C-alpha cells in the first residue's frame, strides 16, 4: 500500500506502519470505517508510552531529547541546556557545572 487508507481491512491496518512514515503506525478509524496514519507528534507529551518517549527527540526542538517523568507519568521534553550559570536553578547541579559560556571556569552557588 502507498498509504494507510489503501489498506481495506481492520487486521492488516492495525499491523501496519504508515508506508510514508515508518516511525508511525496505521490505526483503524472506526467513525470513517477506514485505515489511517497516526499524525506525527507535535510535543513530547504526545508520546503515551515510556519506550517511545525515551527513544524520541522533542518533536518541536530536535536538539533535545524527551524523557519519561515518573511522577507525572507522562513524556516531557528535557529543558534546554543552560546558556549561563544563572540558568541553573539548583545548587547541586550548579556546583558540579562549568560555566556554559566559558568552560575554563566553574559555576558556584551564590
Amino acid at each position: 500500500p502507498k498509504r494507510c487508507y489503501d489498506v481495506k481491512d481492520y487486521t492488516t491496518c492495525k499491523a501496519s506502519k504508515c508506508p510514508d512514515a515508518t516511525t508511525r503506525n496505521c490505526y483503524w478509524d472506526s467513525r470513517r470505517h477506514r485505515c489511517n496514519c497516526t499524525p506525527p507528534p507535535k510535543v513530547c507529551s504526545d508520546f503515551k508510552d515510556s519506550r517511545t518517549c525515551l527513544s524520541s527527540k522533542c518533536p518541536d526542538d530536535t536538539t533535545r531529547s524527551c524523557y519519561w517523568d515518573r511522577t507525572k507519568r507522562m513524556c516531557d521534553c528535557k529543558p534546554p541546556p543552560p546558556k549561563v550559570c544563572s540558568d541553573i536553578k539548583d545548587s547541586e547541579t550548579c556546583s558540579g557545572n562549568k560555566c556554559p559560556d566559558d568552560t575554563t571556569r566553574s559555576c558556584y552557588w551564590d
Side-chain angles (χ1 to χ4, degrees):
K2 299 275 184 296
R3 296 173 299 272
C4 288
Y5 53 82
D6 292 339
V7 179
K8 297 298 177 223
D9 68 295
Y10 174 85
T11 318
T12 315
C13 177
K14 294 286 285 180
S16 301
K17 294 268 185 199
C18 311
D20 50 347
T22 50
T23 52
R24 294 182 281 139
N25 296 312
C26 297
Y27 74 97
W28 188 256
D29 188 332
S30 46
R31 275 200 324 233
R32 293 198 179 101
H33 296 289
R34 71 174 196 191
C35 194
N36 246 333
C37 188
T38 48
K42 301 281 185 293
V43 287
C44 288
S45 57
D46 290 343
F47 296 116
K48 297 301 176 217
D49 66 295
S50 60
R51 191 182 297 162
T52 315
C53 174
L54 292 167
S55 63
S56 301
K57 295 277 184 194
C58 311
D60 52 343
D61 175 2
T62 51
T63 59
R64 296 185 279 149
S65 296
C66 297
Y67 75 99
W68 188 255
D69 190 323
R70 282 203 186 91
T71 46
K72 293 183 195 158
R73 296 196 57 75
M74 62 174 273
C75 191
D76 211 348
C77 191
K78 283 185 178 170
K83 303 263 188 303
V84 287
C85 289
S86 57
D87 288 345
I88 302 168
K89 298 299 177 218
D90 66 295
S91 61
E92 209 169 291
T93 315
C94 174
S95 307
N97 243 307
K98 295 278 185 194
C99 309
D101 53 344
D102 174 3
T103 50
T104 58
R105 296 184 291 146
S106 295
C107 298
Y108 73 96
W109 190 254
D110 194 337

